[in-house]
Amino acid sequence: DTFKGLQLAGGCNFGWNVEGVQVSGLYNRADKMSGLQIGLINKAREMKGVQIGLMNMILENDMPVVPLVHASF
């Protein structure tokens, strides 16, 4: 199933297929992400969009770990 919309948490967000925005105080995780992740640590296996945080990971990317801002389209 695909989650569409906003995930907002003080701690952590977890999603399988996410289309939209994940915002958390600590950690965002999605298998397939399309949209925006904002948190201290952001992780996605596949991503089309932007991550903003201290550590950003897109596992299926030429540069899998990038600090501050990471984008993949």
Side-chain angles (χ1 to χ4, degrees), residues 10-64:
C12 302
N13 285 315
F14 296 94
W16 191 253
N17 295 321
V18 179
E19 294 179 8
V21 179
Q22 287 184 318
V23 179
S24 73
L26 296 174
Y27 182 67
N28 292 308
R29 172 70 170 102
D31 186 60
K32 293 182 181 179
M33 178 74 196
S34 178
L36 175 66
Q37 289 181 317
I38 301 172
L40 286 179
I41 300 170
N42 301 300
K43 184 176 181 181
R45 185 178 59 80
E46 284 181 32
M47 177 132 190
K48 290 185 181 176
V50 177
Q51 296 174 319
I52 300 171
L54 188 62
M55 182 176 10
N56 303 297
M57 295 171 272
I58 303 172
L59 302 179
E60 293 186 7
N61 191 292
D62 292 336
M63 293 179 57

